[in-house]
Amino acid sequence: MDYCTIPRTREEMQAFIGIAHREYFRSSLLKPLLNSGRLRMTIPDKPNSRNQKYIAS
């Protein structure tokens, strides 16, 4: 979570953790963190935006 103290893209987070498979990362890590409130979207009204970044709450 310290890595996301500044807004990061999904690609940046995946590279940092070392997971290559996008869908696995989204379903097993990203979505649970968003649902729990530990991460939040920088553009919440456009969740599929190519400019979407995530930041720790």
Side-chain angles (χ1 to χ4, degrees):
M1 295 307 298
D2 291 335
Y3 183 71
C4 293
T5 56
I6 62 170
R8 304 284 185 171
T9 64
R10 178 194 46 78
E11 292 90 0
E12 290 174 322
M13 291 188 294
Q14 265 188 253
F16 180 76
I17 294 172
I19 296 176
H21 195 266
R22 178 180 61 196
E23 196 54 43
Y24 174 77
F25 177 80
R26 288 179 65 207
S27 64
S28 66
L29 294 172
L30 187 59
K31 286 188 180 199
L33 288 171
L34 288 168
N35 291 337
S36 70
R38 296 184 70 192
L39 273 184
R40 61 184 170 86
M41 295 180 193
T42 57
I43 312 171
D45 53 329
K46 295 183 179 181
N48 296 322
S49 171
R50 64 185 176 101
N51 298 319
Q52 187 65 262
K53 293 188 178 183
Y54 303 91
I55 190 166
S57 299

